[in-house]
């Protein structure tokens, strides 16, 4: 093979220019496609606006790369850019998501099972075309050795010129571009690689700052309003933390399909109440779970930089036994100070196959895990959280056993874009049917206990199933559609617990249509367990309005 001479080798700034052109065009394909589909980008003036945006992005990328990328690390940075841009473009094009700090946090928290569900042949093709082929080409290009003084002058001069061009074009087209980005905020999160760099910076700085702060105790005055005479009279409360269940497909909420037949029968018995208007704290597990178990509420939680204990710590401080069973990717710090068990290591043939378990495995494990808790705490009452795999996508078909798939045909692919919309909905609805079965089976187990029992179910966030071109979840909350924020919630109370508390179920039923949110969980759990603390807010306690004497 003939060796390239210095004359035929690339000047470092020339190779940077090639990278800039690639990033501006192919690397930002989702951005340009999103703009092209907007009604504002039709006609001659719209083409002028798109041309201005192209020049601005080209100039900003030139400015950024000329400032930060120098010959010694040009190729490694180039390959890293290819990986970042290709992966973010693939997920934006495939699932309609955007890249922000919350989405990046989801990626960081993703476990092996979730990664496996996302793998597909289209993803492999994207990696081949967007990373492997251009990466090999880039790595094999010779770079000319240039005197440092000449190189620095050229790159800094190019960076300055590019910045001036970007600002000049932006000033000339400010009105059109400002209107476009103001009306379509999602565009801000689609510009590669600035979206990923901004998300990484925001997430890293935020987590680093929070990690240095000490964990603050809450509810130090917590105590039980009434001490049980024995474990037989101590309440057992099960909180099922749903995963990716959206209210729109929950039969109890009026969905056209009866996806919750067993829960409907339990409601007919008068002991179950479904709350139809509940908003989530976030659009992802990472955002919602710590928030919904917090005493702060959504607004204060998102603005706070401090770390606090959760409602589980308050219950434990009051003397109760607390247990977290996890069939998902962890509790996001909520259960760090209470006994917890993950299902990942379980080998129960009836429920576990292909490296993951159906949610029923948690109920299978529950009796022996309860027996392992401190008997002195069990005598004061027990709270169990069961964190579902639920309806986690995109492999919805994995979330229900073969015997519980009434809606056919279902999408059996990880690549949702390859399935007809109705097949995707069928697979998702089958997962809700299985959640219905799991909750009802847990209720029946609780009915068989001799002690007062109760169950709450609340999903962490919803899901998009193709509406408006969106799939999965994790959109910035301000941009998220209702499908990702409207979640199902229900409460079941045993007859012994109703009699002991003198709670009127008809009164509780009358609260079912009220506008509620994840903010109510902390205070309602305190009310359900009869734990007293100054943190408790009666107006956010579902049960306070229906207590005896009210």
């Amino acid at each position: 093979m003939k060796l390239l001479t210095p004359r035929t080798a690339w000047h470092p700034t020339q190779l940077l220019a090639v990278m800039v052109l690639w990033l501006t065009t192919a690397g930002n394909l989702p951005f340009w496609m999103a703009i092209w589909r907007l009604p504002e980008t039709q006609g001659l003036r719209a083409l002028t606006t798109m041309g201005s945006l192209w020049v601005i992005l080209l100039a900003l990328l030139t400015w950024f790369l000329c400032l930060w990328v120098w010959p010694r690390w040009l190729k490694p940075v180039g390959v890293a850019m290819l990986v970042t841009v290709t992966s973010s473009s693939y997920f934006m094009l495939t699932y309609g998501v955007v890249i922000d700090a919350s989405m990046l946090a989801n990626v960081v928290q993703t476990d092996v099972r979730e990664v496996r569900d996302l793998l597909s042949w289209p993803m492999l093709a994207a990696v081949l075309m967007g990373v492997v082929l251009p990466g090999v080409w880039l790595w094999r290009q010779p770079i000319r050795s240039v005197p440092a003084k000449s190189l620095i002058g050229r790159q800094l001069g190019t960076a300055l010129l590019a910045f001036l061009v970007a600002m000049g074009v932006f000033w000339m087209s400010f009105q059109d571009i400002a209107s476009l980005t103001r009306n379509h905020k999602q565009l801000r999160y689609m510009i590669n690689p600035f979206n990923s760099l901004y998300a990484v910076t925001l997430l890293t700085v935020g987590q680093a700052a929070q990690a240095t702060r000490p964990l603050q105790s809450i509810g130090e005055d917590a105590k039980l309003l009434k001490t049980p005479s024995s474990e037989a009279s101590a309440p057992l409360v099960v909180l099922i933390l749903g995963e990716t269940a959206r209210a729109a497909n929950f039969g109890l909420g009026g969905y056209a399909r009866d996806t919750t037949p067993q829960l409907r029968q339990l409601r007919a018995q008068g002991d179950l109440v479904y709350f139809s208007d509940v908003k989530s704290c976030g659009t992802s597990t990472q955002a919602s779970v710590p928030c919904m178990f917090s005493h702060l509420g959504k607004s204060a939680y998102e603005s706070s930089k401090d770390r606090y204990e959760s409602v589980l710590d308050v219950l434990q401080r009051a003397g109760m036994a607390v247990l977290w069973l996890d069939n998902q990717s962890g509790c996001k710090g909520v259960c760090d100070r209470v006994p917890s068990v993950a299902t990942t290591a379980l080998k129960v043939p009836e429920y576990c196959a292909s490296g993951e378990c159906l949610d029923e495995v948690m109920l299978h494990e529950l009796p022996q895990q309860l027996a392992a808790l401190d008997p002195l705490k069990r005598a004061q009452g027990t709270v169990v959280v069961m964190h579902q795999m639920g309806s986690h996508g995109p492999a919805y078909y994995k979330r229900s056993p073969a015997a519980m798939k009434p809606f056919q045909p279902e999408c059996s692919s990880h690549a949702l874009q390859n399935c007809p919309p109705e097949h995707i909905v069928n697979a998702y609805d089958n997962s809700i049917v299985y959640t219905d079965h799991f909750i009802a089976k847990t209720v029946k187990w609780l009915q068989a206990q001799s002690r007062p029992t109760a169950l709450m179910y609340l999903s962490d966030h919803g899901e998009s199933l193709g509406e408006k071109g969106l799939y999965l979840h994790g959109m910035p909350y301000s941009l998220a559609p209702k499908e990702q924020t409207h979640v199902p919630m229900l409460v079941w109370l045993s007859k012994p617990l109703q009699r002991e508390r003198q709670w009127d179920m008809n009164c509780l039923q009358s609260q079912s249509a009220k506008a509620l949110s994840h903010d109510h969980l902390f205070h309602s759990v305190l009310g359900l367990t009869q734990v007293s603390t100054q943190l408790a807010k009666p107006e956010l306690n579902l049960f306070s309005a229906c207590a005896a004497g009210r």
Side-chain angles (χ1 to χ4, degrees):
M1 180 178 177
K2 184 179 178 180
L3 294 176
L4 292 169
T5 66
R7 290 184 179 180
T8 59
W10 291 90
H11 188 285
T13 310
Q14 292 176 326
L15 200 53
L16 277 179
V18 174
M19 289 175 58
V20 167
L21 284 171
W22 188 91
L23 288 171
T24 306
T25 53
N28 271 284
L29 186 61
F31 177 69
W32 299 121
M33 290 178 65
I35 291 179
W36 183 255
R37 289 193 292 262
L38 297 177
E40 298 97 318
T41 53
Q42 309 300 318
L44 181 60
R45 185 170 181 178
L47 292 177
T48 303
T49 302
M50 287 190 68
S52 298
L53 281 171
W54 191 87
V55 172
I56 291 170
L57 182 55
L58 180 78
L60 287 178
L61 284 168
T62 301
W63 164 77
F64 179 79
L65 292 182
C66 283
L67 279 182
W68 297 105
V69 181
W70 299 86
R72 181 170 296 181
W73 55 84
L74 192 154
K75 291 182 180 180
V77 169
V79 173
M81 286 277 189
L82 290 174
V83 172
T84 301
V85 168
T86 299
S87 57
S88 63
S89 293
Y90 171 78
F91 286 107
M92 285 192 284
L93 285 173
T94 303
Y95 300 114
V97 301
V98 295
I99 308 301
D100 68 336
S102 62
M103 183 61 69
L104 186 65
N106 293 335
V107 174
V108 172
Q109 294 289 329
T110 297
D111 62 15
V112 175
R113 293 177 297 177
E114 293 174 350
V115 171
R116 188 169 57 239
D117 286 348
L118 292 170
L119 298 178
S120 64
W121 289 112
M123 185 177 185
L124 179 63
V127 171
L128 177 64
M129 299 299 295
V131 179
V132 177
L133 295 182
V136 169
W137 178 87
L138 176 64
W139 205 265
R140 294 184 63 183
Q141 300 310 302
I143 300 177
R144 190 185 312 168
S145 179
V146 179
K149 185 177 180 179
S150 171
L151 178 65
I152 292 172
R154 182 166 179 172
Q155 284 204 195
L156 292 182
T158 303
L160 177 60
L161 177 62
F163 184 79
L164 293 175
V165 169
M167 293 301 100
V169 176
F170 180 74
W171 179 78
M172 288 187 293
S173 54
F174 175 79
Q175 184 175 347
D176 290 339
I177 293 176
S179 176
L180 193 68
T181 55
R182 184 167 53 248
N183 294 331
H184 304 282
K185 294 181 180 180
Q186 71 274 16
L187 295 176
R188 307 174 189 179
Y189 302 98
M190 299 182 71
I191 305 175
N192 280 321
F194 296 119
N195 51 1
S196 298
L197 293 172
Y198 178 74
V200 168
T201 302
L202 198 64
L203 185 65
T204 303
V205 171
Q207 286 188 343
Q210 193 175 57
T212 60
R213 297 179 179 272
L215 181 69
Q216 297 190 32
S217 299
I218 62 172
E220 294 185 346
D221 61 332
K223 62 180 180 180
L224 293 171
L225 289 174
K226 181 182 178 182
T227 303
S229 57
S230 65
E231 185 175 346
S233 62
L236 170 58
V237 175
V238 172
L239 172 59
I240 295 180
L241 177 55
E243 170 62 39
T244 321
R246 67 185 206 172
N249 292 54
F250 227 71
L252 286 180
Y255 184 43
R257 284 176 163 178
D258 190 7
T259 53
T260 54
Q262 296 185 57
L263 292 176
R264 178 170 45 80
Q265 292 178 5
L266 287 171
R267 183 169 64 176
Q269 296 172 11
D271 301 327
L272 185 147
V273 177
Y274 177 77
F275 299 90
S276 59
D277 188 9
V278 182
K279 273 193 168 184
S280 67
C281 190
T283 61
S284 66
T285 303
Q286 173 66 24
S288 278
V289 172
C291 177
M292 62 198 295
F293 283 85
S294 168
H295 69 292
L296 296 172
K298 174 178 168 60
S299 179
Y301 175 83
E302 291 177 343
S303 61
S304 175
K305 297 180 180 179
D306 294 318
R307 296 192 305 136
Y308 292 94
E309 293 178 335
S310 75
V311 68
L312 302 186
D313 297 284
V314 177
L315 300 176
Q316 193 165 244
R317 185 164 289 123
M320 300 186 75
V322 181
L323 172 66
W324 183 287
L325 294 176
D326 203 287
N327 196 35
Q328 242 285 331
S329 58
C331 66
K332 316 308 177 189
V334 171
C335 66
D336 287 354
R337 294 160 299 279
V338 303
S340 58
V341 177
T343 64
T344 50
L346 298 178
K347 305 294 182 183
V348 183
E350 185 179 357
Y351 302 116
C352 302
S354 304
E356 64 180 65
C357 298
L358 293 167
D359 287 327
E360 283 177 274
V361 75
M362 292 187 288
L363 190 57
H364 177 273
E365 289 293 304
L366 182 55
Q368 68 184 61
Q369 297 300 332
L370 286 176
L373 295 175
D374 185 342
L376 295 178
K377 290 184 177 180
R378 290 202 314 259
Q380 303 299 304
T382 304
V383 175
V384 178
V385 182
M386 294 199 288
H387 188 192
Q388 284 186 275
M389 178 60 79
S391 302
H392 198 286
Y396 304 122
Y397 68 96
K398 287 186 176 183
R399 312 304 172 223
S400 58
M404 294 182 193
K405 295 182 180 291
F407 305 112
Q408 294 293 337
E410 69 172 3
C411 176
S412 57
S413 171
H414 298 182
L416 297 180
Q417 70 275 18
N418 294 336
C419 292
E422 59 273 18
H423 295 186
I424 297 172
V425 174
N426 285 345
Y428 183 85
D429 284 350
N430 288 335
S431 73
I432 299 295
V433 170
Y434 181 62
T435 288
D436 168 74
H437 169 76
F438 174 62
I439 298 173
K441 188 173 180 180
T442 305
V443 167
K444 291 175 183 176
W445 182 84
L446 290 171
Q447 287 174 324
Q449 307 305 306
S450 58
R451 60 201 295 188
T453 58
L455 179 144
M456 284 187 69
Y457 167 83
L458 178 58
S459 182
D460 60 351
H461 56 78
E463 185 85 330
S464 289
L465 299 177
E467 300 88 0
K468 301 176 182 177
L470 297 178
Y471 293 91
L472 305 182
H473 53 268
M475 287 290 287
Y477 202 89
S478 60
L479 305 176
K482 188 177 181 180
E483 289 83 5
Q484 294 189 27
T485 60
H486 185 201
V487 294
M489 181 171 76
L490 60 86
V491 170
W492 173 86
L493 305 178
S494 69
K495 298 292 189 195
L497 188 134
Q498 292 177 44
R499 288 193 295 267
E500 179 190 294
R501 306 283 171 81
Q502 298 182 25
W503 283 351
D504 184 353
M505 291 300 294
N506 290 327
C507 174
L508 195 59
Q509 182 64 46
S510 70
Q511 316 293 314
S512 63
K514 286 188 175 181
L516 306 172
S517 71
H518 278 170
D519 289 2
H520 289 76
L521 179 65
F522 182 96
H523 307 280
S524 297
V525 168
L526 293 180
L528 186 55
T529 56
Q530 297 286 273
V531 170
S532 171
T533 170
Q534 291 183 353
L535 290 174
K537 296 180 179 179
E539 67 273 18
L540 295 178
N541 177 1
L542 295 173
F543 308 100
S544 62
C546 301
R550 294 297 297 268

